[in-house]
Amino acid sequence: MALFNTIVAGAPVTGRDVYVPPVTYPTVGTIWKAGGTYNVTWDTTNPPRQITNKMGRIVLAKAGRLQLDHTLALGFDILTGIHEVIVPRNITSGRDYQIVLFGDSGNSCAEFTIL
């Protein structure tokens, strides 16, 4: 068993394809309103040939913490570069919100405001 663990532990890691497309909107200075509909956008330039998980998820973060109860979108293709979301009506106003885009990995935008 020790030999197996040594061989597996020493095996090179290949074929991983972490794709982290940068979120391009919202940006610093953006103001969204609770209940409003907006397009989240991200740069899909130069994706890897193989992407392990193309299914996207958009979640709000506040003060750097994921707000998993505020999933804005789920199950879309991350290669589209755009997805429409609706801001929940019951959200607390703040200047420290971020959009987090998940697929292979998570990537967030700059902080913006929700009123």
Side-chain angles (χ1 to χ4, degrees):
M1 184 65 151
L3 179 59
F4 175 75
N5 288 340
T6 302
I7 292 170
V8 171
V13 177
T14 59
R16 290 196 177 174
D17 57 346
V18 176
Y19 181 45
V20 186
V23 177
T24 57
Y25 182 82
T27 59
V28 171
T30 296
I31 299 173
W32 286 1
K33 294 186 179 181
T37 301
Y38 302 92
N39 286 323
V40 173
T41 61
W42 56 95
D43 184 354
T44 58
T45 305
N46 300 318
R49 287 184 190 161
Q50 175 187 337
I51 299 175
T52 303
N53 180 18
K54 286 186 183 181
M55 300 309 291
R57 180 177 182 186
I58 298 173
V59 177
L60 279 176
K62 182 164 178 31
R65 293 187 168 176
L66 286 176
Q67 305 293 302
L68 296 176
D69 54 333
H70 292 301
T71 295
L72 303 181
L74 185 63
F76 57 89
D77 184 344
I78 62 170
L79 292 176
T80 60
I82 188 168
H83 198 78
E84 186 176 87
V85 299
I86 299 173
V87 179
R89 290 189 181 279
N90 62 343
I91 199 158
T92 303
S93 295
R95 299 177 184 270
D96 55 351
Y97 279 98
Q98 291 176 286
I99 288 294
V100 181
L101 173 66
F102 290 99
D104 266 5
S105 187
N107 195 12
S108 59
C109 68
E111 289 187 345
F112 68 100
T113 301
I114 296 180
L115 300 177

